[in-house]
Amino acid sequence: DIKLGHGNKFKFANVPYGDISNTRFCGVNWSGAIDSCSISTHCPTGYSEECPEGHSCFGGLTCNVQDLLEEAEEAKEDAAASGTAQVAYRIPKHDTRRHNFCGSSWGDANSKCDLWCPDGDDTDCPGSMGCYGATGCYYDDDLVPTQTPVEAPTGGPTTAAPVIRNDPANVRFCGVTWALAAVNCSYETHCPSGSDKECPKGQTCHGGISQCNIVDIESKMNEPEVPTFVPTPAPISANDPSNAKFCGKSWAQAKENCSLETHCPDDECEIGSVCYGGIGCNASEMTRAPSNGPTLRPTDSPTEKPT
């Protein structure tokens, strides 16, 4: 195929492996581009116009399209030799096509995860069903497990299992609609199993909400709170213009009623009033009225009892 000038491999035959164009992929953000890097998300020119709506092209990723192409070619040859694969070749495990499934609607496809349609073609689905992408489903029947069995541990693990950020279960959240689930995604609305039973009445579990990830949400929840300290404001000089700012419904009223109570150095007043500058009053010369202290009643001087 390469000699004839056909196929993806020919397209990159003269591109050096270390060329930065090999490491450009589409994603909602940089980390998302890494998690979902595949042949279908490759954007060699670096322009976001090559990406789906809402995605941008990021470069310098740890993925390399030539590795992905090599993997796809090897899988294609293995599949042709065995003749047992469902598709012509086994696509990379992070390829977005693994989330394409048939259904009467996106919600139906997302909830059933029954029929895989890797090419995104409606004709691959039975009846009037269509092929929907970016579902919370994931096709892994063609992934080959390790041949060596692993013995069950005799005791509890000493370290926690690694967190797989790109697990489809991490991006499933409850909501009345997919859009509302994306806007209100939180720890409380997470529905990892994909079942509507995990959601409040009237809501559905939606998958493929890539802008939210429970791993990120839990990470933020575990971050220690850093106390904030309010600095003591610097003293204001008598000539500072803010000393002549006072609240009032009009400039004349602000001037007439100027006091420390109506002083507005930060331009903030009660509703219905405006902070006016250039008032003839000066807040630095004002003092608050002292509170009326108790007046002690003098005691009467005793008189001597006459003899």
Side-chain angles (χ1 to χ4, degrees), residues 236-251 253-270 273-286:
I236 301 175
S237 67
N239 296 325
D240 194 300
S242 64
N243 288 330
K245 291 182 177 180
F246 293 89
C247 297
K249 294 183 179 179
S250 65
W251 190 91
Q253 187 193 57
K255 179 176 177 60
E256 182 180 350
N257 298 324
C258 63
S259 66
L260 288 178
E261 287 70 24
T262 61
H263 185 218
C264 52
D266 299 323
D267 300 322
E268 294 183 1
C269 297
E270 296 181 354
S273 295
V274 177
C275 186
Y276 292 94
I279 304 295
C281 305
N282 192 312
S284 68
E285 299 172 356
M286 297 179 179

Side-chain angles (χ1 to χ4, degrees), residues 2 4 19 30 37 44 48 86 92 108 144 159 180 190 216 220 259 263:
I2 297 176
L4 295 175
D19 192 279
W30 195 85
C37 65
S48 297
Q86 179 175 337
D108 180 62
V144 181
T159 57
L180 289 175
H190 185 222
D216 297 333
K220 290 181 181 178
S259 66
H263 185 218

Side-chain angles (χ1 to χ4, degrees), residues 31-100:
S31 60
I34 293 178
D35 293 340
S36 61
C37 65
S38 65
I39 297 173
S40 61
T41 63
H42 184 223
C43 49
T45 66
Y47 291 107
S48 297
E49 285 77 2
E50 290 187 273
C51 302
E53 185 176 354
H55 291 62
S56 301
C57 186
F58 297 89
L61 275 61
T62 52
C63 298
N64 191 302
V65 72
Q66 297 208 25
D67 291 335
L68 299 176
L69 289 168
E70 189 68 28
E71 181 182 345
E73 288 293 327
E74 291 176 359
K76 185 176 180 180
E77 292 172 2
D78 293 342
S82 63
T84 58
Q86 179 175 337
V87 291
Y89 58 92
R90 178 163 55 88
I91 61 178
K93 63 181 180 179
H94 295 311
D95 198 298
T96 55
R97 287 173 290 176
R98 289 189 177 276
H99 300 287
N100 295 348

Side-chain angles (χ1 to χ4, degrees), residues 181-197:
V183 171
N184 300 317
C185 61
S186 65
Y187 181 84
E188 291 73 19
T189 63
H190 185 222
C191 50
S193 72
S195 173
D196 296 343
K197 294 179 180 179

